[in-house]
Amino acid sequence: MNDSLGPLANDSTVVIIGGGPGGASCAIALRRLACAMGRNINVIVYEGKTFAGEAHYNQCIGVLSPPIDHILEQQLGVPFPRHLVHRHITGYVLHSDRHQIVLDSEDEPSFAMRRVQFDDYLLEQARLQGVQVVHSRVTDLEFHADRVVIYSESDNRQAAVVVGAFGLDDGSTTALARAAPYRPPRFLESIVTKIHPPDEAMAKFGNRIHAFLPGVSQIEFGAVTPKGNHLAVNIAGAGIDAGWMDYFLASAPVRAVIPFIDREHPVNPYDFHYFKGRFPISIAQGYYGDRYVLVGDAAGLVRAFKGKGVNSACLTGLWAAEVIMTRGISCAAFAEHYTRACHEILADLPYGRTVRHLVGVASRLRMLDRALAVAEGEPALQAALFDAVSGHRAYRAIIHDLFKPGLIGQTFVNFLRPRPATGL
């Protein structure tokens, strides 16, 4: 094997494209590992956005699930920014078109915060570790036997290896796809907006996220999430547009949750401004190779229903750094060691796709109302729904519990049992 593709030698350079949680975590881990090994590794992060001052909006809703605090503190050695937490999310209300169910748990709460503030904090932690941050977009790459050449809007550099942590950014995915056998994952589109309710309405809203499974195939799911002084509203689906967000905001289940919507006279001038993004629903092709590796959304290494995206980004960034520093930067090293580290995420993806498919079929067949009604009398089903919505457990564990003979049989009987004439 080419010696230059082994673990990074002293004075090597790593370029990370993207300064979000995956890129910042990888940068922090690289510097900490290099220090522990007595090596000097130059780490450079390219990030086109400026997080400080909140000049950019992040399409992520900004709910960070456990164990994100343990990941930062115990694995990355970074204090969890509790001062940035706006609200502790203690439960969920799951809505179909004509039914709803409250899902609470004794598990640790999730943390609602502004993602742009969290990203700024984590990138600053990387700077404190000696990471150089360049606020510029990468425009092209060249892979050579002994180096990678990186072109940006502001400079030109060479590195031993490149880490892609750019999410589904069009420019970055196109640049890498031109230079390497990388193809981005398939994705759903998402639209996000926010609403500032009157103070008394915000105080009464509570600490639960309202999740919606509308009976239209275009919207796979939506949510209304309480933040510090506003509600974040998001929908996701294939090919959705502003018209579908209008439809969602006007739907009866959503209006029942936020009856104070007044689009003609918003409380805040930034209310009802729509932002569009994407999130992956498959693994990327060629997400590693000689001298490059992808982490987080760019690799498609997230849960199928967009849960724990920040957790996955931080963990995959950490794992990529460990392979780079201890195993090597060849395709073979990433294939053996990086995929092994990502096994839990990779192994759960087929189960997540199955759940997503089943929910879609149930929605199209108008079966979700009845399913939620049945779950009201089944604590095990409620626990499974909570775990699926919150991302607290792997899908394969949820499915395994649901298909225990006694539970699945009783649930099927209850589903078929005639019910009072309530429209269900």
Side-chain angles (χ1 to χ4, degrees):
M1 184 180 76
N2 186 341
D3 289 341
S4 67
L5 295 179
L8 287 190
N10 195 48
D11 292 329
S12 295
T13 296
V14 181
V15 163
I16 300 173
I17 307 173
S25 296
C26 187
I28 292 168
L30 284 166
R31 290 290 298 178
R32 286 174 59 84
L33 286 167
C35 182
M37 295 175 176
R39 300 182 208 162
N40 176 47
I41 300 297
N42 304 308
V43 182
I44 302 166
V45 173
Y46 282 88
E47 173 52 62
K49 295 180 180 178
T50 302
F51 301 137
E54 303 182 35
H56 291 91
Y57 189 86
N58 191 304
Q59 286 79 19
C60 174
I61 288 299
V63 175
L64 279 59
S65 305
I68 183 62
D69 47 345
H70 301 296
I71 293 171
L72 262 60
E73 294 178 349
Q74 297 176 16
Q75 300 191 53
L76 285 175
V78 171
F80 183 71
R82 298 185 186 278
H83 62 287
L84 296 181
V85 177
H86 291 169
R87 191 179 294 258
H88 289 86
I89 301 299
T90 58
Y92 297 79
V93 182
L94 184 58
H95 299 258
S96 59
D97 282 341
R98 293 178 293 171
H99 207 86
Q100 66 182 51
I101 185 171
V102 176
L103 303 171
D104 287 328
S105 171
E106 298 299 321
D107 291 348
E108 295 180 65
S110 297
F111 309 100
M113 59 177 69
R114 293 284 307 273
R115 258 296 303 277
V116 69
Q117 292 178 342
F118 177 78
D119 290 1
D120 182 50
Y121 169 81
L122 207 55
L123 196 55
E124 180 59 28
Q125 293 297 310
R127 286 192 185 94
L128 293 176
Q129 294 286 338
V131 173
Q132 181 183 354
V133 178
V134 179
H135 286 290
S136 184
R137 291 174 62 87
V138 169
T139 57
D140 210 348
L141 301 103
E142 295 175 4
F143 288 88
H144 300 271
D146 59 344
R147 69 196 188 283
V148 185
V149 179
I150 299 96
Y151 299 90
S152 80
E153 294 171 331
S154 61
D155 63 11
N156 164 234
R157 297 176 189 264
Q158 298 184 21
V161 62
V162 168
V163 178
F166 43 71
L168 294 179
D169 175 74
D170 275 332
S172 299
T173 57
T174 300
L176 184 56
R178 280 199 303 264
Y182 166 74
R183 298 297 179 268
R186 293 183 295 108
F187 59 85
L188 291 183
E189 292 175 311
S190 64
I191 297 179
V192 182
T193 190
K194 61 182 177 179
I195 303 168
H196 290 78
D199 291 342
E200 62 275 12
M202 193 70 216
K204 293 178 180 178
F205 193 88
N207 295 326
R208 295 188 181 106
I209 293 174
H210 289 257
F212 298 83
L213 298 171
V216 292
S217 59
Q218 289 83 356
I219 302 176
E220 288 208 11
F221 63 86
V224 177
T225 302
K227 306 296 281 294
N229 63 349
H230 68 277
L231 301 174
V233 183
N234 69 299
I235 61 172
I240 57 170
D241 56 20
W244 283 111
M245 176 58 91
D246 294 341
Y247 169 90
F248 181 71
L249 290 170
S251 66
V254 174
R255 292 304 296 263
V257 171
I258 44 179
F260 39 75
I261 288 180
D262 184 353
R263 301 184 68 173
E264 297 299 321
H265 305 92
V267 172
N268 186 290
Y270 292 101
D271 286 355
F272 306 109
H273 286 202
Y274 294 175
F275 298 88
K276 198 167 188 179
R278 301 170 176 174
F279 65 86
I281 55 173
S282 72
I283 289 293
Q285 298 180 35
Y287 65 93
Y288 56 81
D290 285 349
R291 299 192 181 277
Y292 79 92
V293 62
L294 282 295
V295 303
D297 281 12
L301 291 168
V302 296
R303 297 176 86 247
F305 264 174
K306 195 51 178 177
K308 292 184 178 291
V310 172
N311 296 34
S312 298
C314 292
L315 286 171
T316 54
L318 170 66
W319 296 334
E322 290 175 342
V323 174
I324 287 169
M325 292 301 300
T326 64
R327 301 296 184 174
I329 57 174
S330 67
C331 182
F334 291 127
E336 180 178 358
H337 302 287
Y338 184 56
T339 59
R340 183 186 302 165
C342 297
H343 172 74
E344 184 174 344
I345 298 174
L346 292 168
D348 204 41
L349 287 174
Y351 296 92
R353 285 193 292 267
T354 298
V355 170
R356 178 170 166 252
H357 175 72
L358 290 175
V359 170
V361 170
S363 175
R364 289 190 292 273
L365 296 179
R366 305 287 180 173
M367 297 169 61
L368 291 177
D369 295 317
R370 184 59 178 271
L372 296 191
V374 169
E376 285 186 330
E378 296 283 356
L381 277 179
Q382 292 179 36
L385 288 172
F386 176 87
D387 289 336
V389 172
S390 68
H392 280 207
R393 296 178 69 208
Y395 282 119
R396 62 182 180 276
I398 298 169
I399 293 175
H400 178 268
D401 288 348
L402 282 178
F403 279 83
K404 290 178 179 177
L407 177 60
I408 192 65
Q410 185 60 47
T411 300
F412 185 70
V413 169
N414 290 340
F415 193 87
L416 295 179
R417 181 178 296 155
R419 302 181 68 84
T422 61
L424 300 181

